[in-house]
Structures are given as structure tokens and as C-alpha cells.
Amino acid sequence: MVSVTRTVFGELPSGGGTVEKFQLRSDQLSVDIISWGCTITALEVKDRQGKASDVVLGFPELEGYLQKQPYFGAVVGRVANRIAKGRFTLNGKEYHLPINREPNSLHGGFRGFDKVLWTPQVLSNGVQFSRISPDGEESYPGELRVWVTYTLQGGELVVNYKAQASQTTPVNLTNHSYFNLAGQGSPNIYDHEVTIEADAYLPVDETLIPTGLVAPVEGTAFDLRKPVELGKHLQEHCLNGFDHNFCLKGSKEKHFCARVRHPGSGRVLEVYTTQPGVQFYTGNFLDGTLKGKSRAVYPKHSGFCLETQNWPDAVNQPHFPPVMLKPGEEYNHTTWFKFSAA
């Protein structure tokens, strides 16, 4: 059984509207999602003793989400990740997007899908959010109708993304939750064991744009096909952290993507998706300045993201999986976050 509870989370300034919170509860999971940015604000998971902890980074109040912050828990779009120099060409026309992360465009621009109020509809086991992104929003072509649906099935949170376009436009949607399976507010994720089911990854330049090479992980620090203890692995390979796209199976069917285990609590997160890639990010830009839930601070490496997605900068790299959505087609992708304790 899943219960869905609807409450007011806060009011947007200058009469911008009411932000609502939806709590989805099963006997294994409790998830809080707000209508601002379709943002996951809390996710309580039991450990092997049956004690529940909140395993996502975030803020106790709406004000936290309205400040400059690194997309905690939000849905990002119209195009997630980076677009080189904020430019792409479509049907002979060059589009110039906002440069919100010099020198590139990141996660949809200055006011992406994470910074808007969505329209909610309660379902029997979840909630569906919808919005219409107008033609020209953040300089993207065409009107885009978007639906993001969160449902709970036992220990599994399922996120489905659908979109339809009035004219050809790039679309790439994901959720940007930061997890810490020891419980949010724990100082780091070094004791987490990470597995990513990818034979290749995308090397990046100094501005984090893929070079175009699809590189085998074999014999590199990016070979995560067998579990690695994150802290030791970063140290051994002298890495500042991960912020890279891992190339998954090309299938549009549900496939295994990643598994993260926290030995101390026994909590396990498994991710399955229909997407061709996942951005594994280890919170390298977190710096301890943001005050989160339960007065937690979030220093570098205190959370990780597994952003299932199309490959970054696919608009400018013809050999990457196609990112353009044409009128009459439907963008439809699903990601499953499966929690357990062992």
C-alpha cells in the first residue's frame, strides 16, 4: 500500500504561487517531493536494523531551494548537463543559449525546469507534475509539453519523463538528487561501494565538455564494473572526484545502471534506466557553505548523484545518441531507484 499526503510547503515571493509538498509512503520508503522544480526534498530509507534515515541532501524550507544552490533533488531541463559554449545548430539555424556556467550552458539555462512551479496531479501511488515550456524559453525552439511522474512501488521510486514538442528541439531530462546512504549530513561518501555497469565513458576537457572520444573503461580509474570503495579509489587514482558520463547499454528497455552500497548501515541503492548514459557526480563543487536539513552542512564529497541521461553536449556531437525530439514523437524515459538493506 502507498499513501499520498498533500500539504503546503511554502509561498513564492511576490505572489508567485503556492509550492505544495507530496509525501509518498510505503512500508519501506517515504519520499517528499515539492511542485517547485519537481524536487525531491527528503527520502527516508531503513537500514539493516530497520531504522529510517533521510538519504538525500536538501533544505528544510522553500527559501533554501530559492537561493543559489546546486540543483538539490530537482528535475533539470530542457537539456540536462552541459552544452558547449551554449550553442547548437538545427536545420541550418544557430541557437545561442544562456551561458550560466562559463563558458557553457548548464541544465537548461538561468531559469531551467528546476526553477519553475509545476502543476501537480495526485495519483493512487504517486504524483504527476506537468508544465508547458513556451517556445523560446531559455532560447530553446518550440513549445514543449512535459510530464514528470513519481510513483512508489514497495522499496522502489520510479520516475517517468514524457515530453512532446511543437517543433524540433533538443530534450534531455533527469533528476539531480544528491544521495548519502549513511544519512544526509554525514561528512562524506568515502565508505560507499560503487558499481557502474559501463564499458565506456566520456573523457572531458577542462570545462567538463566531452572531447568526443568514447573511451573504454578497461584499465582506467573509470572501470567501476566491479565494486570500488570510493574514498580509497579516488586516493589511489589521484582523482578530485567524478563528474563524468558513463555510457550504458544502447537499449531503450530497462537496464541495470549502477549499485551503491553503504556497508555501515547496510543500505543499498540500485539504479535501472531506459537512458543511454548516467552522469556520476561526487559533489566536487560542494564547499560546506550551504546550511541544509537538521542544520547539516554539505562539504565536498558529502553526496553523490547518478543522473540518468542522454550523453552531454549530444547536440554538437553527431556520433552521440540522438537528442532531438520532433513534432509527433514522444520523449519517454524511466528511471528506477531501488532501495534495500542487507
Side-chain angles (χ1 to χ4, degrees), residues 105-124:
S105 190
L106 175 69
H107 294 328
F110 286 109
R111 191 167 176 266
F113 289 4
D114 61 300
K115 296 179 184 70
V116 291
L117 193 57
W118 293 63
T119 303
Q121 185 189 344
V122 172
L123 310 173
S124 62

Side-chain angles (χ1 to χ4, degrees), residues 25-178:
R25 284 191 85 95
S26 70
D27 49 1
Q28 286 149 281
L29 285 187
S30 171
V31 189
D32 293 1
I33 308 152
I34 60 171
S35 52
W36 179 256
C38 306
T39 301
I40 296 173
T41 60
L43 204 166
E44 296 209 342
V45 184
K46 291 174 182 169
D47 66 7
R48 65 165 73 86
Q49 257 81 52
K51 179 180 171 291
S53 291
D54 184 359
V55 298
V56 292
L57 280 54
F59 303 103
E61 290 159 345
L62 180 59
E63 290 66 40
Y65 292 98
L66 300 180
Q67 68 184 326
K68 187 176 183 343
Q69 52 93 8
Y71 306 94
F72 283 152
V75 164
V76 290
R78 185 176 294 196
V79 175
N81 218 304
R82 289 169 175 80
I83 291 178
K85 301 185 173 60
R87 287 183 201 158
F88 67 93
T89 302
L90 175 59
N91 300 332
K93 181 181 173 186
E94 187 168 72
Y95 288 85
H96 294 260
L97 307 172
I99 305 296
N100 62 321
R101 189 63 59 89
E102 286 284 350
N104 305 312
S105 190
L106 175 69
H107 294 328
F110 286 109
R111 191 167 176 266
F113 289 4
D114 61 300
K115 296 179 184 70
V116 291
L117 193 57
W118 293 63
T119 303
Q121 185 189 344
V122 172
L123 310 173
S124 62
N125 63 338
V127 59
Q128 180 176 75
F129 298 98
S130 61
R131 77 176 295 253
I132 295 173
S133 169
D135 179 17
E137 183 174 60
E138 294 297 297
S139 303
Y140 284 97
E143 181 184 273
L144 190 72
R145 290 173 178 267
V146 194
W147 297 266
V148 177
T149 309
Y150 292 92
T151 51
L152 214 49
Q153 297 166 6
E156 201 162 49
L157 174 64
V158 186
V159 191
N160 173 260
Y161 307 87
K162 285 195 176 104
Q164 294 166 357
S166 68
Q167 62 186 82
T168 302
T169 181
V171 181
N172 187 21
L173 306 175
T174 192
N175 179 282
H176 209 301
S177 286
Y178 290 70

Side-chain angles (χ1 to χ4, degrees), residues 103-311:
N104 305 312
S105 190
L106 175 69
H107 294 328
F110 286 109
R111 191 167 176 266
F113 289 4
D114 61 300
K115 296 179 184 70
V116 291
L117 193 57
W118 293 63
T119 303
Q121 185 189 344
V122 172
L123 310 173
S124 62
N125 63 338
V127 59
Q128 180 176 75
F129 298 98
S130 61
R131 77 176 295 253
I132 295 173
S133 169
D135 179 17
E137 183 174 60
E138 294 297 297
S139 303
Y140 284 97
E143 181 184 273
L144 190 72
R145 290 173 178 267
V146 194
W147 297 266
V148 177
T149 309
Y150 292 92
T151 51
L152 214 49
Q153 297 166 6
E156 201 162 49
L157 174 64
V158 186
V159 191
N160 173 260
Y161 307 87
K162 285 195 176 104
Q164 294 166 357
S166 68
Q167 62 186 82
T168 302
T169 181
V171 181
N172 187 21
L173 306 175
T174 192
N175 179 282
H176 209 301
S177 286
Y178 290 70
F179 298 97
N180 186 320
L181 297 182
Q184 71 87 28
S186 301
N188 61 60
I189 47 172
Y190 298 143
D191 56 353
H192 288 48
E193 292 172 359
V194 179
T195 313
I196 298 180
E197 185 74 4
D199 297 330
Y201 78 103
L202 301 181
V204 292
D205 67 17
E206 65 285 352
T207 74
L208 299 176
I209 292 287
T211 60
L213 192 67
V214 180
V217 298
E218 186 74 50
T220 75
F222 298 88
D223 192 347
L224 306 178
R225 292 173 295 184
K226 293 200 174 79
V228 303
E229 189 182 314
L230 192 59
K232 276 189 190 150
H233 188 80
L234 293 178
Q235 221 171 0
E236 277 168 21
H237 293 276
C238 302
L239 286 176
N240 175 50
F242 288 98
D243 194 358
H244 295 79
N245 180 84
F246 286 77
C247 307
L248 306 173
K249 289 185 178 65
S251 144
K252 293 237 172 29
E253 302 302 308
K254 176 180 181 179
H255 45 262
F256 175 62
C257 165
R259 183 175 192 268
V260 183
R261 176 174 169 262
H262 179 247
S265 65
R267 287 190 191 94
V268 176
L269 165 59
E270 289 176 303
V271 180
Y272 298 81
T273 189
T274 58
Q275 290 275 23
V278 62
Q279 186 85 3
F280 178 42
Y281 173 51
T282 50
N284 314 329
F285 292 111
L286 297 175
D287 60 6
T289 54
L290 293 170
K291 299 284 180 288
K293 292 173 283 190
S294 313
R295 294 191 291 284
V297 291
Y298 300 130
K300 181 178 179 176
H301 298 158
S302 59
F304 67 90
C305 304
L306 287 165
E307 304 157 62
T308 52
Q309 57 171 17
N310 199 339
W311 300 1

